[in-house]
Amino acid sequence: MRLLLALLVALIAGSAAAQQKLDLGRSGGVCPLNGICSDTPPAFSNDRRVLTGAWYFATRTAPNIQLLAGSGTYTTPATTFYLEVEMVGGGGGGGGSGTSGGTGGTGGNTTFGSLTANGGTGGATAGGAAGTGGTATGGDYNLLGGNGGTTLTATNQFGGVGGVSFFGASGVPGNNLGGTGGPAQATSGSGGGGGGAGGTAGPGGGGGAGGYLTKIITSPSATFSFAVGASGTGGTAGTGGVPGGAGGTGHILVKAYFQ
């Protein structure tokens, strides 16, 4: 009986100590390996949480995430440790089909401070050249946008497919019965599809995609000027043809992380 009582006392004491460690861990306290806990957190650098002889359970703040639109000024949240910026330029429009169809419009450039992701160019018409992808500068990783699909100068031909950006979702080509070029998805930065050719020769080329970049900013400024690239318009229909699809708008995604 005495042995059983001693075991129960030890179990209760251990549970109380474990609860103390759990409570302190939730509030940012310290429980060294010797079992003596403290409410005072130890000093640490570079956001380290594992320390010699103790565990420090710190509360964490979720990142502040903003998808920017249009143009304006981004204000860095207070106490930001670093920013992660991801951006793409606007996609070019697909060319229109038919006789004297219109070339697609060029996508707008996306900027954030000194970072730039250029828009793709529009696709030409009547079997002409497809749009080219935009460049990007200033990022830790810069990716050229995809070129649009080329076409043949003939009747009953599909239009060119839209160039693909880092985010995909480009415009589909118009079919070989004279189908209209499809638009790229909004905020994708991809190119629009070219108009298809039916009985009249001359399908439109696909628009080029916008350039893409990603950047870690370790010492962010208080504010940054920004502008999101607009979509390139689809080329107009020529005689006996159909219009091309519009490119996708660009976007800027900014994540602010806290220490």
Side-chain angles (χ1 to χ4, degrees):
M1 180 62 72
R2 290 179 180 177
L3 178 59
L4 179 59
L5 288 174
L7 289 173
L8 288 173
V9 170
L11 180 61
I12 292 171
S15 298
Q19 184 62 48
Q20 182 190 24
K21 293 182 181 182
L22 180 60
D23 292 341
L24 283 170
R26 288 170 176 165
S27 62
V30 180
C31 293
L33 298 179
N34 59 14
I36 301 173
C37 298
S38 169
D39 288 315
T40 303
F44 60 88
S45 62
N46 296 327
D47 205 28
R48 297 185 183 277
R49 291 297 188 264
V50 180
L51 305 174
T52 303
W55 291 299
Y56 176 51
F57 301 94
T59 56
R60 300 301 295 249
T61 302
N64 177 286
I65 302 174
Q66 297 186 44
L67 180 64
L68 306 181
S71 61
T73 301
Y74 172 84
T75 300
T76 304
T79 72
T80 293
F81 190 36
Y82 67 91
L83 295 177
E84 180 182 0
V85 181
E86 201 173 20
M87 50 196 273
V88 65
S97 65
T99 304
S100 300
T103 297
T106 297
N109 299 335
T110 296
T111 59
F112 184 87
S114 62
L115 309 176
T116 302
N118 293 307
T121 65
T125 187
T132 56
T135 58
T137 57
D140 297 319
Y141 174 62
N142 304 295
L143 180 67
L144 183 70
N147 295 334
T150 58
T151 61
L152 300 173
T153 304
T155 59
N156 301 111
Q157 296 291 320
F158 280 83
V161 66
V164 180
S165 76
F166 179 83
F167 298 99
S170 64
V172 298
N175 63 42
N176 59 351
L177 297 177
T180 300
Q185 292 295 315
T187 75
S188 69
S190 290
T200 300
Y212 163 88
L213 68 80
T214 182
K215 176 72 175 179
I216 298 295
I217 302 176
T218 55
S219 298
S221 302
T223 59
F224 294 86
S225 297
F226 73 88
V228 175
S231 62
T233 56
T236 56
T239 302
V242 295
T249 54
H251 78 253
I252 304 172
L253 184 67
V254 185
K255 302 177 184 178
Y257 292 89
F258 306 95
Q259 191 170 16

PDB file of all heavy atoms in Angstrom, residues 97-143:
ATOM      1  N   SER A  97      -7.897  37.280 -86.975  1.00  0.00           N
ATOM      2  CA  SER A  97      -7.741  36.549 -88.238  1.00  0.00           C
ATOM      3  C   SER A  97      -8.458  37.263 -89.381  1.00  0.00           C
ATOM      4  O   SER A  97      -9.170  38.247 -89.170  1.00  0.00           O
ATOM      5  CB  SER A  97      -8.282  35.123 -88.090  1.00  0.00           C
ATOM      6  OG  SER A  97      -9.678  35.148 -87.866  1.00  0.00           O
ATOM      7  N   GLY A  98      -8.269  36.736 -90.592  1.00  0.00           N
ATOM      8  CA  GLY A  98      -8.907  37.321 -91.766  1.00  0.00           C
ATOM      9  C   GLY A  98      -8.013  38.325 -92.470  1.00  0.00           C
ATOM     10  O   GLY A  98      -6.876  38.585 -92.062  1.00  0.00           O
ATOM     11  N   THR A  99      -8.556  38.894 -93.523  1.00  0.00           N
ATOM     12  CA  THR A  99      -7.810  39.877 -94.313  1.00  0.00           C
ATOM     13  C   THR A  99      -7.699  41.192 -93.545  1.00  0.00           C
ATOM     14  O   THR A  99      -8.702  41.757 -93.122  1.00  0.00           O
ATOM     15  CB  THR A  99      -8.509  40.125 -95.658  1.00  0.00           C
ATOM     16  OG1 THR A  99      -8.668  38.885 -96.358  1.00  0.00           O
ATOM     17  CG2 THR A  99      -7.699  41.090 -96.527  1.00  0.00           C
ATOM     18  N   SER A 100      -6.444  41.650 -93.350  1.00  0.00           N
ATOM     19  CA  SER A 100      -6.163  42.906 -92.630  1.00  0.00           C
ATOM     20  C   SER A 100      -6.677  42.887 -91.187  1.00  0.00           C
ATOM     21  O   SER A 100      -7.143  43.899 -90.666  1.00  0.00           O
ATOM     22  CB  SER A 100      -6.782  44.105 -93.379  1.00  0.00           C
ATOM     23  OG  SER A 100      -6.257  44.204 -94.682  1.00  0.00           O
ATOM     24  N   GLY A 101      -6.549  41.744 -90.542  1.00  0.00           N
ATOM     25  CA  GLY A 101      -6.892  41.676 -89.123  1.00  0.00           C
ATOM     26  C   GLY A 101      -5.896  42.444 -88.270  1.00  0.00           C
ATOM     27  O   GLY A 101      -4.789  42.773 -88.715  1.00  0.00           O
ATOM     28  N   GLY A 102      -6.291  42.757 -87.044  1.00  0.00           N
ATOM     29  CA  GLY A 102      -5.446  43.574 -86.173  1.00  0.00           C
ATOM     30  C   GLY A 102      -4.452  42.766 -85.348  1.00  0.00           C
ATOM     31  O   GLY A 102      -4.715  41.624 -84.955  1.00  0.00           O
ATOM     32  N   THR A 103      -3.299  43.375 -85.090  1.00  0.00           N
ATOM     33  CA  THR A 103      -2.300  42.778 -84.199  1.00  0.00           C
ATOM     34  C   THR A 103      -2.733  42.984 -82.749  1.00  0.00           C
ATOM     35  O   THR A 103      -3.282  44.038 -82.391  1.00  0.00           O
ATOM     36  CB  THR A 103      -0.919  43.435 -84.425  1.00  0.00           C
ATOM     37  OG1 THR A 103      -0.498  43.162 -85.758  1.00  0.00           O
ATOM     38  CG2 THR A 103       0.112  42.912 -83.442  1.00  0.00           C
ATOM     39  N   GLY A 104      -2.484  41.995 -81.907  1.00  0.00           N
ATOM     40  CA  GLY A 104      -2.848  42.127 -80.504  1.00  0.00           C
ATOM     41  C   GLY A 104      -2.024  43.188 -79.792  1.00  0.00           C
ATOM     42  O   GLY A 104      -0.899  43.501 -80.179  1.00  0.00           O
ATOM     43  N   GLY A 105      -2.608  43.753 -78.730  1.00  0.00           N
ATOM     44  CA  GLY A 105      -1.915  44.786 -77.958  1.00  0.00           C
ATOM     45  C   GLY A 105      -0.838  44.200 -77.046  1.00  0.00           C
ATOM     46  O   GLY A 105      -0.900  43.037 -76.647  1.00  0.00           O
ATOM     47  N   THR A 106       0.153  45.016 -76.712  1.00  0.00           N
ATOM     48  CA  THR A 106       1.230  44.601 -75.801  1.00  0.00           C
ATOM     49  C   THR A 106       0.772  44.736 -74.356  1.00  0.00           C
ATOM     50  O   THR A 106       0.129  45.722 -73.983  1.00  0.00           O
ATOM     51  CB  THR A 106       2.487  45.466 -76.037  1.00  0.00           C
ATOM     52  OG1 THR A 106       2.966  45.237 -77.368  1.00  0.00           O
ATOM     53  CG2 THR A 106       3.579  45.135 -75.040  1.00  0.00           C
ATOM     54  N   GLY A 107       1.120  43.761 -73.525  1.00  0.00           N
ATOM     55  CA  GLY A 107       0.776  43.825 -72.112  1.00  0.00           C
ATOM     56  C   GLY A 107       1.584  44.885 -71.384  1.00  0.00           C
ATOM     57  O   GLY A 107       2.708  45.219 -71.778  1.00  0.00           O
ATOM     58  N   GLY A 108       1.024  45.418 -70.322  1.00  0.00           N
ATOM     59  CA  GLY A 108       1.697  46.459 -69.557  1.00  0.00           C
ATOM     60  C   GLY A 108       2.804  45.904 -68.659  1.00  0.00           C
ATOM     61  O   GLY A 108       2.798  44.731 -68.290  1.00  0.00           O
ATOM     62  N   ASN A 109       3.744  46.782 -68.298  1.00  0.00           N
ATOM     63  CA  ASN A 109       4.835  46.395 -67.413  1.00  0.00           C
ATOM     64  C   ASN A 109       4.392  46.472 -65.951  1.00  0.00           C
ATOM     65  O   ASN A 109       3.698  47.411 -65.554  1.00  0.00           O
ATOM     66  CB  ASN A 109       6.050  47.306 -67.621  1.00  0.00           C
ATOM     67  CG  ASN A 109       6.597  47.239 -69.030  1.00  0.00           C
ATOM     68  OD1 ASN A 109       6.417  46.238 -69.725  1.00  0.00           O
ATOM     69  ND2 ASN A 109       7.268  48.291 -69.458  1.00  0.00           N
ATOM     70  N   THR A 110       4.818  45.509 -65.155  1.00  0.00           N
ATOM     71  CA  THR A 110       4.542  45.497 -63.723  1.00  0.00           C
ATOM     72  C   THR A 110       5.796  45.937 -62.984  1.00  0.00           C
ATOM     73  O   THR A 110       6.884  45.415 -63.236  1.00  0.00           O
ATOM     74  CB  THR A 110       4.133  44.087 -63.264  1.00  0.00           C
ATOM     75  OG1 THR A 110       2.893  43.737 -63.904  1.00  0.00           O
ATOM     76  CG2 THR A 110       3.935  44.025 -61.759  1.00  0.00           C
ATOM     77  N   THR A 111       5.660  46.915 -62.069  1.00  0.00           N
ATOM     78  CA  THR A 111       6.811  47.428 -61.333  1.00  0.00           C
ATOM     79  C   THR A 111       6.510  47.465 -59.833  1.00  0.00           C
ATOM     80  O   THR A 111       5.375  47.686 -59.414  1.00  0.00           O
ATOM     81  CB  THR A 111       7.189  48.845 -61.802  1.00  0.00           C
ATOM     82  OG1 THR A 111       6.070  49.733 -61.600  1.00  0.00           O
ATOM     83  CG2 THR A 111       7.558  48.848 -63.277  1.00  0.00           C
ATOM     84  N   PHE A 112       7.576  47.258 -59.041  1.00  0.00           N
ATOM     85  CA  PHE A 112       7.503  47.386 -57.585  1.00  0.00           C
ATOM     86  C   PHE A 112       8.851  47.922 -57.132  1.00  0.00           C
ATOM     87  O   PHE A 112       9.846  47.191 -57.145  1.00  0.00           O
ATOM     88  CB  PHE A 112       7.219  46.025 -56.937  1.00  0.00           C
ATOM     89  CG  PHE A 112       7.024  46.083 -55.447  1.00  0.00           C
ATOM     90  CD1 PHE A 112       5.776  46.348 -54.898  1.00  0.00           C
ATOM     91  CD2 PHE A 112       8.093  45.863 -54.585  1.00  0.00           C
ATOM     92  CE1 PHE A 112       5.595  46.399 -53.533  1.00  0.00           C
ATOM     93  CE2 PHE A 112       7.924  45.907 -53.213  1.00  0.00           C
ATOM     94  CZ  PHE A 112       6.662  46.174 -52.676  1.00  0.00           C
ATOM     95  N   GLY A 113       8.898  49.215 -56.792  1.00  0.00           N
ATOM     96  CA  GLY A 113      10.188  49.828 -56.523  1.00  0.00           C
ATOM     97  C   GLY A 113      11.073  49.724 -57.751  1.00  0.00           C
ATOM     98  O   GLY A 113      10.694  50.150 -58.844  1.00  0.00           O
ATOM     99  N   SER A 114      12.259  49.151 -57.587  1.00  0.00           N
ATOM    100  CA  SER A 114      13.190  49.004 -58.712  1.00  0.00           C
ATOM    101  C   SER A 114      12.995  47.702 -59.484  1.00  0.00           C
ATOM    102  O   SER A 114      13.712  47.441 -60.452  1.00  0.00           O
ATOM    103  CB  SER A 114      14.641  49.071 -58.206  1.00  0.00           C
ATOM    104  OG  SER A 114      14.896  48.008 -57.297  1.00  0.00           O
ATOM    105  N   LEU A 115      12.043  46.883 -59.084  1.00  0.00           N
ATOM    106  CA  LEU A 115      11.789  45.602 -59.758  1.00  0.00           C
ATOM    107  C   LEU A 115      10.866  45.814 -60.949  1.00  0.00           C
ATOM    108  O   LEU A 115       9.895  46.573 -60.869  1.00  0.00           O
ATOM    109  CB  LEU A 115      11.155  44.607 -58.791  1.00  0.00           C
ATOM    110  CG  LEU A 115      11.852  44.392 -57.449  1.00  0.00           C
ATOM    111  CD1 LEU A 115      11.053  43.444 -56.575  1.00  0.00           C
ATOM    112  CD2 LEU A 115      13.269  43.875 -57.667  1.00  0.00           C
ATOM    113  N   THR A 116      11.132  45.108 -62.056  1.00  0.00           N
ATOM    114  CA  THR A 116      10.307  45.250 -63.261  1.00  0.00           C
ATOM    115  C   THR A 116      10.068  43.900 -63.916  1.00  0.00           C
ATOM    116  O   THR A 116      11.016  43.152 -64.182  1.00  0.00           O
ATOM    117  CB  THR A 116      10.971  46.188 -64.286  1.00  0.00           C
ATOM    118  OG1 THR A 116      11.191  47.466 -63.699  1.00  0.00           O
ATOM    119  CG2 THR A 116      10.089  46.350 -65.515  1.00  0.00           C
ATOM    120  N   ALA A 117       8.792  43.610 -64.213  1.00  0.00           N
ATOM    121  CA  ALA A 117       8.406  42.449 -65.016  1.00  0.00           C
ATOM    122  C   ALA A 117       7.666  42.988 -66.233  1.00  0.00           C
ATOM    123  O   ALA A 117       6.544  43.497 -66.109  1.00  0.00           O
ATOM    124  CB  ALA A 117       7.517  41.495 -64.215  1.00  0.00           C
ATOM    125  N   ASN A 118       8.302  42.911 -67.397  1.00  0.00           N
ATOM    126  CA  ASN A 118       7.741  43.513 -68.609  1.00  0.00           C
ATOM    127  C   ASN A 118       6.637  42.655 -69.220  1.00  0.00           C
ATOM    128  O   ASN A 118       6.635  41.425 -69.097  1.00  0.00           O
ATOM    129  CB  ASN A 118       8.851  43.738 -69.633  1.00  0.00           C
ATOM    130  CG  ASN A 118       9.855  44.782 -69.181  1.00  0.00           C
ATOM    131  OD1 ASN A 118       9.478  45.890 -68.816  1.00  0.00           O
ATOM    132  ND2 ASN A 118      11.126  44.433 -69.202  1.00  0.00           N
ATOM    133  N   GLY A 119       5.724  43.335 -69.918  1.00  0.00           N
ATOM    134  CA  GLY A 119       4.629  42.640 -70.576  1.00  0.00           C
ATOM    135  C   GLY A 119       5.055  41.972 -71.874  1.00  0.00           C
ATOM    136  O   GLY A 119       6.069  42.322 -72.481  1.00  0.00           O
ATOM    137  N   GLY A 120       4.261  40.989 -72.313  1.00  0.00           N
ATOM    138  CA  GLY A 120       4.496  40.331 -73.590  1.00  0.00           C
ATOM    139  C   GLY A 120       3.900  41.134 -74.730  1.00  0.00           C
ATOM    140  O   GLY A 120       2.975  41.928 -74.539  1.00  0.00           O
ATOM    141  N   THR A 121       4.416  40.927 -75.936  1.00  0.00           N
ATOM    142  CA  THR A 121       3.888  41.636 -77.103  1.00  0.00           C
ATOM    143  C   THR A 121       2.707  40.869 -77.696  1.00  0.00           C
ATOM    144  O   THR A 121       2.503  39.683 -77.423  1.00  0.00           O
ATOM    145  CB  THR A 121       4.971  41.829 -78.174  1.00  0.00           C
ATOM    146  OG1 THR A 121       5.368  40.544 -78.670  1.00  0.00           O
ATOM    147  CG2 THR A 121       6.182  42.547 -77.606  1.00  0.00           C
ATOM    148  N   GLY A 122       1.938  41.579 -78.540  1.00  0.00           N
ATOM    149  CA  GLY A 122       0.753  40.975 -79.145  1.00  0.00           C
ATOM    150  C   GLY A 122       1.086  40.110 -80.354  1.00  0.00           C
ATOM    151  O   GLY A 122       2.115  40.291 -81.014  1.00  0.00           O
ATOM    152  N   GLY A 123       0.205  39.149 -80.648  1.00  0.00           N
ATOM    153  CA  GLY A 123       0.368  38.307 -81.824  1.00  0.00           C
ATOM    154  C   GLY A 123      -0.047  39.040 -83.086  1.00  0.00           C
ATOM    155  O   GLY A 123      -0.964  39.870 -83.067  1.00  0.00           O
ATOM    156  N   ALA A 124       0.633  38.749 -84.182  1.00  0.00           N
ATOM    157  CA  ALA A 124       0.316  39.370 -85.467  1.00  0.00           C
ATOM    158  C   ALA A 124      -0.834  38.619 -86.144  1.00  0.00           C
ATOM    159  O   ALA A 124      -1.374  37.643 -85.613  1.00  0.00           O
ATOM    160  CB  ALA A 124       1.555  39.375 -86.350  1.00  0.00           C
ATOM    161  N   THR A 125      -1.205  39.083 -87.301  1.00  0.00           N
ATOM    162  CA  THR A 125      -2.355  38.512 -87.999  1.00  0.00           C
ATOM    163  C   THR A 125      -1.951  37.859 -89.316  1.00  0.00           C
ATOM    164  O   THR A 125      -0.808  37.999 -89.774  1.00  0.00           O
ATOM    165  CB  THR A 125      -3.394  39.617 -88.279  1.00  0.00           C
ATOM    166  OG1 THR A 125      -4.584  39.050 -88.822  1.00  0.00           O
ATOM    167  CG2 THR A 125      -2.845  40.645 -89.254  1.00  0.00           C
ATOM    168  N   ALA A 126      -2.893  37.144 -89.896  1.00  0.00           N
ATOM    169  CA  ALA A 126      -2.735  36.541 -91.218  1.00  0.00           C
ATOM    170  C   ALA A 126      -1.473  35.703 -91.357  1.00  0.00           C
ATOM    171  O   ALA A 126      -0.688  35.851 -92.296  1.00  0.00           O
ATOM    172  CB  ALA A 126      -2.774  37.615 -92.299  1.00  0.00           C
ATOM    173  N   GLY A 127      -1.217  34.842 -90.383  1.00  0.00           N
ATOM    174  CA  GLY A 127      -0.063  33.975 -90.457  1.00  0.00           C
ATOM    175  C   GLY A 127       1.231  34.647 -90.092  1.00  0.00           C
ATOM    176  O   GLY A 127       2.312  34.108 -90.340  1.00  0.00           O
ATOM    177  N   GLY A 128       1.173  35.840 -89.479  1.00  0.00           N
ATOM    178  CA  GLY A 128       2.377  36.568 -89.092  1.00  0.00           C
ATOM    179  C   GLY A 128       2.985  36.011 -87.817  1.00  0.00           C
ATOM    180  O   GLY A 128       2.571  34.989 -87.275  1.00  0.00           O
ATOM    181  N   ALA A 129       3.985  36.714 -87.334  1.00  0.00           N
ATOM    182  CA  ALA A 129       4.719  36.261 -86.154  1.00  0.00           C
ATOM    183  C   ALA A 129       3.852  36.292 -84.903  1.00  0.00           C
ATOM    184  O   ALA A 129       2.939  37.119 -84.761  1.00  0.00           O
ATOM    185  CB  ALA A 129       5.952  37.135 -85.950  1.00  0.00           C
ATOM    186  N   ALA A 130       4.158  35.386 -84.000  1.00  0.00           N
ATOM    187  CA  ALA A 130       3.472  35.365 -82.709  1.00  0.00           C
ATOM    188  C   ALA A 130       4.108  36.387 -81.771  1.00  0.00           C
ATOM    189  O   ALA A 130       5.208  36.890 -82.028  1.00  0.00           O
ATOM    190  CB  ALA A 130       3.567  33.970 -82.110  1.00  0.00           C
ATOM    191  N   GLY A 131       3.411  36.699 -80.692  1.00  0.00           N
ATOM    192  CA  GLY A 131       3.957  37.618 -79.703  1.00  0.00           C
ATOM    193  C   GLY A 131       5.113  37.001 -78.940  1.00  0.00           C
ATOM    194  O   GLY A 131       5.177  35.783 -78.755  1.00  0.00           O
ATOM    195  N   THR A 132       6.036  37.853 -78.477  1.00  0.00           N
ATOM    196  CA  THR A 132       7.193  37.382 -77.709  1.00  0.00           C
ATOM    197  C   THR A 132       6.992  37.655 -76.219  1.00  0.00           C
ATOM    198  O   THR A 132       6.318  38.609 -75.824  1.00  0.00           O
ATOM    199  CB  THR A 132       8.488  38.073 -78.181  1.00  0.00           C
ATOM    200  OG1 THR A 132       8.323  39.496 -78.083  1.00  0.00           O
ATOM    201  CG2 THR A 132       8.785  37.714 -79.623  1.00  0.00           C
ATOM    202  N   GLY A 133       7.624  36.804 -75.398  1.00  0.00           N
ATOM    203  CA  GLY A 133       7.486  36.941 -73.956  1.00  0.00           C
ATOM    204  C   GLY A 133       8.270  38.115 -73.406  1.00  0.00           C
ATOM    205  O   GLY A 133       9.304  38.512 -73.945  1.00  0.00           O
ATOM    206  N   GLY A 134       7.773  38.680 -72.302  1.00  0.00           N
ATOM    207  CA  GLY A 134       8.436  39.808 -71.663  1.00  0.00           C
ATOM    208  C   GLY A 134       9.597  39.375 -70.787  1.00  0.00           C
ATOM    209  O   GLY A 134       9.666  38.232 -70.324  1.00  0.00           O
ATOM    210  N   THR A 135      10.518  40.287 -70.551  1.00  0.00           N
ATOM    211  CA  THR A 135      11.663  40.041 -69.685  1.00  0.00           C
ATOM    212  C   THR A 135      11.346  40.493 -68.257  1.00  0.00           C
ATOM    213  O   THR A 135      10.317  41.125 -68.006  1.00  0.00           O
ATOM    214  CB  THR A 135      12.904  40.799 -70.191  1.00  0.00           C
ATOM    215  OG1 THR A 135      12.591  42.207 -70.233  1.00  0.00           O
ATOM    216  CG2 THR A 135      13.296  40.327 -71.582  1.00  0.00           C
ATOM    217  N   ALA A 136      12.255  40.175 -67.324  1.00  0.00           N
ATOM    218  CA  ALA A 136      12.123  40.624 -65.939  1.00  0.00           C
ATOM    219  C   ALA A 136      13.509  40.960 -65.413  1.00  0.00           C
ATOM    220  O   ALA A 136      14.493  40.295 -65.752  1.00  0.00           O
ATOM    221  CB  ALA A 136      11.473  39.551 -65.082  1.00  0.00           C
ATOM    222  N   THR A 137      13.603  41.999 -64.581  1.00  0.00           N
ATOM    223  CA  THR A 137      14.898  42.427 -64.042  1.00  0.00           C
ATOM    224  C   THR A 137      14.772  42.784 -62.567  1.00  0.00           C
ATOM    225  O   THR A 137      13.726  43.274 -62.119  1.00  0.00           O
ATOM    226  CB  THR A 137      15.443  43.657 -64.792  1.00  0.00           C
ATOM    227  OG1 THR A 137      14.479  44.726 -64.722  1.00  0.00           O
ATOM    228  CG2 THR A 137      15.730  43.341 -66.246  1.00  0.00           C
ATOM    229  N   GLY A 138      15.859  42.537 -61.826  1.00  0.00           N
ATOM    230  CA  GLY A 138      15.939  42.931 -60.426  1.00  0.00           C
ATOM    231  C   GLY A 138      15.620  41.848 -59.425  1.00  0.00           C
ATOM    232  O   GLY A 138      15.863  42.016 -58.233  1.00  0.00           O
ATOM    233  N   GLY A 139      15.072  40.727 -59.870  1.00  0.00           N
ATOM    234  CA  GLY A 139      14.692  39.673 -58.943  1.00  0.00           C
ATOM    235  C   GLY A 139      15.842  38.755 -58.577  1.00  0.00           C
ATOM    236  O   GLY A 139      16.898  38.753 -59.224  1.00  0.00           O
ATOM    237  N   ASP A 140      15.649  37.969 -57.528  1.00  0.00           N
ATOM    238  CA  ASP A 140      16.594  36.895 -57.230  1.00  0.00           C
ATOM    239  C   ASP A 140      16.476  35.799 -58.282  1.00  0.00           C
ATOM    240  O   ASP A 140      17.430  35.073 -58.554  1.00  0.00           O
ATOM    241  CB  ASP A 140      16.304  36.314 -55.840  1.00  0.00           C
ATOM    242  CG  ASP A 140      16.501  37.334 -54.737  1.00  0.00           C
ATOM    243  OD1 ASP A 140      17.482  38.098 -54.815  1.00  0.00           O
ATOM    244  OD2 ASP A 140      15.684  37.369 -53.800  1.00  0.00           O
ATOM    245  N   TYR A 141      15.279  35.689 -58.852  1.00  0.00           N
ATOM    246  CA  TYR A 141      15.030  34.748 -59.955  1.00  0.00           C
ATOM    247  C   TYR A 141      14.173  35.470 -60.983  1.00  0.00           C
ATOM    248  O   TYR A 141      13.084  35.967 -60.665  1.00  0.00           O
ATOM    249  CB  TYR A 141      14.313  33.499 -59.441  1.00  0.00           C
ATOM    250  CG  TYR A 141      13.896  32.529 -60.520  1.00  0.00           C
ATOM    251  CD1 TYR A 141      14.839  31.918 -61.341  1.00  0.00           C
ATOM    252  CD2 TYR A 141      12.546  32.226 -60.737  1.00  0.00           C
ATOM    253  CE1 TYR A 141      14.451  31.025 -62.339  1.00  0.00           C
ATOM    254  CE2 TYR A 141      12.153  31.340 -61.724  1.00  0.00           C
ATOM    255  CZ  TYR A 141      13.107  30.745 -62.522  1.00  0.00           C
ATOM    256  OH  TYR A 141      12.728  29.868 -63.519  1.00  0.00           O
ATOM    257  N   ASN A 142      14.675  35.580 -62.216  1.00  0.00           N
ATOM    258  CA  ASN A 142      13.972  36.268 -63.308  1.00  0.00           C
ATOM    259  C   ASN A 142      13.671  35.269 -64.418  1.00  0.00           C
ATOM    260  O   ASN A 142      14.576  34.556 -64.866  1.00  0.00           O
ATOM    261  CB  ASN A 142      14.834  37.403 -63.859  1.00  0.00           C
ATOM    262  CG  ASN A 142      15.264  38.388 -62.794  1.00  0.00           C
ATOM    263  OD1 ASN A 142      14.444  39.070 -62.205  1.00  0.00           O
ATOM    264  ND2 ASN A 142      16.569  38.455 -62.539  1.00  0.00           N
ATOM    265  N   LEU A 143      12.422  35.240 -64.864  1.00  0.00           N
ATOM    266  CA  LEU A 143      12.014  34.261 -65.875  1.00  0.00           C
ATOM    267  C   LEU A 143      11.370  34.963 -67.063  1.00  0.00           C
ATOM    268  O   LEU A 143      10.441  35.769 -66.901  1.00  0.00           O
ATOM    269  CB  LEU A 143      11.011  33.268 -65.259  1.00  0.00           C
ATOM    270  CG  LEU A 143      10.484  32.168 -66.173  1.00  0.00           C
ATOM    271  CD1 LEU A 143      11.608  31.206 -66.558  1.00  0.00           C
ATOM    272  CD2 LEU A 143       9.345  31.405 -65.500  1.00  0.00           C
TER     273      LEU A 143
END
